[in-house]
Structure formats: structure tokens, C-alpha cells
Amino acid sequence: MKKTGIKEWIRRILLVICVCVFCYSAYQLISIYLNYKEIEDQTEELIDTYVQETDDEDLAAMALARTIDFDALLERNEDVIGWIYIPDSNIDEPILKGKNNDTYLHTSIDHESLSAGCIFVEETNNDDYSDDMTIIYGHNMKNGSRFHDIRYYSDEEYYYEHQTVYIYTLDGNINIYEIFSAKVVDPDDECYTTVINDYVTYVEEAQSNAQMTSEIDTTQQQPLIMLSTCWSQTNTKRNIVFAYLTEVYER
């Protein structure tokens, strides 16, 4: 009887442990779901509220016809310095510049805690994209938000079908950039600089050991941008793409 009693108590304890593990796992899954839903809802709300789009089927024409209500957006957050858009991708949201690189790392545009943070520029950059290199950061979120799609630039078809980056600036114009390299680097790689002393050498290094590259005219230095995100949630390396300014579309 005693052995039976002990076994029964062990069975009950194991059952309680299993129930606790199940409840904790369910709580974690629900928390992740709610977090991702909050990110998706906020992104959709920003686009619906501040972006006026057209029904043009030509992606380039549609991108140039879009307008951003920066007056209203700046009332919401004065740190907004532009809007980034890559057609046929999930990259379509405001760009901010905080006091430092931690300001919007895990903080929403409304200054609330949010794991995905915001898209933001390097703290040492100017806010008008006039530097030799403007570094733009964004998290690689598993639900496809922020800079998740940067990972796809290792694929040749995706790379050549998503070459153009549009940055809508506060003055109403659109900076148009063409991507010329995609690679994986360490977080302390020398490419992370806002000042380029030797343009040709920098471009060569940007394309060295890259996953994908395309032609770029280096006879005249153009302002560059870098889109930077984590390679994965469990790796310290960075997935980055480089692009050069081809045109400022004035409106």
C-alpha cells in the first residue's frame, strides 16, 4: 500500500508539472502572437493613416505618386525624418532618428515598449541623408516585419526584382536608390561608417565576398545608404544591403 501511495503521489506531481509546463508554453505562445499582432496592427495603422497611395499597377509609377502626410506624422513624433519603401516587400514605414541608437531599438513611434522597435538611422548621421553613408537599422522580425525581407537579397531573383529603394523626405521629395550589394558581415565590420574617404575602395569592399552584387558607376561619388539587420535571432552577424542615390525626384 505504501509503494502504491508513493507512486500515486509521484504521478500527481508529474501531472502538476506537465500542466504547469503546458500553461507556461501556452502563455509564451499567446504573448508572442499578441506581440506580433501589435507590430502588424501598428504598421498597418501607420500606412493607412499617413500614406496616400494610387492604384497604378506600375510599381515605379505608383511609388513616385505616393505621398506621406509628414505634417501629421511629425505631430505624432518629431523624431521622424522620412519614410522608407521597397515595392513588393514588407519594408514600408517611417524612419526615425533618436538621441542614440538605443532610443528606438525596442521602442515604438509612440514611445511605448515594443520588441520590434522602429526603423532608425545611425545616431551620428545627419537627418537629411546627405552623409557619404547613411546607415539605417531595423530588426529582423520572424513575422516578416521591419527589415525581415533583407534576408531575401541573397536570392538572385529577389535581388534583381527588388533593386529600388525609395526614401520619402520631409521636404516632399523622393530619394531614389539602387541596390548594388548584399552581404553578411560582423557587427564591427569597417563598412559601418558614415564618412567614406576612398569611394572606389569602399564600393569594392562592399562588393567583396558579397552574396549578390550589381554594377555601380564609381566615377562620381554618390551618397550611399546601408540597410542593416540581424542575420538571425540567434546569430550576431548582420545582413546588409548597400544602395547608391540615383535621383532626387522633386515634387
Side-chain angles (χ1 to χ4, degrees):
M1 290 295 294
K2 289 183 178 180
K3 289 184 177 180
T4 302
I6 293 173
K7 288 182 179 179
E8 179 63 20
W9 273 107
I10 293 175
R11 187 187 70 81
R12 292 181 180 178
I13 291 171
L14 290 175
L15 178 61
V16 170
I17 292 173
C18 289
V19 170
C20 290
V21 170
F22 173 80
C23 291
Y24 177 76
S25 298
Y27 169 77
Q28 290 292 96
L29 288 173
I30 292 172
S31 296
I32 292 171
Y33 168 77
L34 292 176
N35 181 54
Y36 282 155
K37 188 176 187 306
E38 180 182 4
I39 295 166
E40 292 168 359
D41 288 348
Q42 184 182 90
T43 302
E44 290 178 5
E45 181 266 329
L46 286 168
I47 294 173
D48 291 342
T49 304
Y50 302 107
V51 180
Q52 183 176 356
E53 302 189 84
T54 69
D55 296 327
D56 199 315
E57 294 183 359
D58 184 294
L59 293 179
M62 183 270 290
L64 295 178
R66 287 174 122 224
T67 58
I68 313 296
D69 187 354
F70 281 119
D71 289 338
L73 193 52
L74 286 166
E75 287 183 7
R76 184 167 179 171
N77 190 317
E78 62 182 10
D79 290 338
V80 171
I81 62 168
W83 189 289
I84 185 169
Y85 175 57
I86 300 179
D88 191 33
S89 80
N90 287 324
I91 299 175
D92 187 9
E93 53 190 294
I95 304 172
L96 290 87
K97 185 183 181 211
K99 293 181 179 179
N100 54 57
N101 287 344
D102 292 329
T103 304
Y104 292 105
L105 188 63
H106 296 295
T107 302
S108 75
I109 192 171
D110 298 314
H111 305 286
E112 298 173 348
S113 177
L114 185 68
S115 62
C118 293
I119 303 298
F120 63 94
V121 299
E122 163 64 35
E123 60 185 42
T124 59
N125 272 127
N126 293 314
D127 57 9
D128 59 358
Y129 311 97
S130 61
D131 292 300
D132 296 340
M133 167 65 79
T134 298
I135 304 171
I136 308 175
Y137 301 103
H139 284 297
N140 173 9
M141 302 303 295
K142 290 182 179 179
N143 68 333
S145 61
R146 300 304 183 262
F147 275 178
H148 171 89
D149 287 359
I150 296 299
R151 64 169 61 192
Y152 300 135
Y153 278 95
S154 61
D155 176 77
E156 182 176 5
E157 183 177 359
Y158 189 93
Y159 180 89
Y160 284 108
E161 289 183 354
H162 299 80
Q163 279 277 287
T164 309
V165 181
Y166 298 89
I167 292 183
Y168 302 81
T169 55
L170 300 184
D171 58 9
N173 296 330
I174 306 173
N175 288 359
I176 305 174
Y177 301 84
E178 290 296 312
I179 292 173
F180 66 90
S181 180
K183 66 189 301 186
V184 175
V185 301
D186 291 321
D188 58 352
D189 193 276
E190 292 182 355
C191 67
Y192 284 95
T193 180
T194 61
V195 179
I196 299 174
N197 295 316
D198 188 328
Y199 187 67
V200 174
T201 300
Y202 185 90
V203 170
E204 289 175 350
E205 287 299 320
Q207 294 187 319
S208 175
N209 299 316
Q211 296 169 305
M212 291 297 303
T213 63
S214 47
E215 291 186 5
I216 171 176
D217 182 4
T218 56
T219 58
Q220 183 175 358
Q221 182 167 339
Q222 298 289 348
L224 306 179
I225 59 170
M226 176 202 301
L227 310 184
S228 174
T229 190
C230 292
W231 190 29
S232 72
Q233 299 288 340
T234 59
N235 195 297
T236 59
K237 288 187 176 295
R238 300 290 184 265
N239 216 332
I240 59 177
V241 297
F242 299 87
Y244 65 98
L245 182 68
T246 61
E247 179 185 356
V248 176
Y249 183 75
E250 297 184 354
R251 296 190 290 192

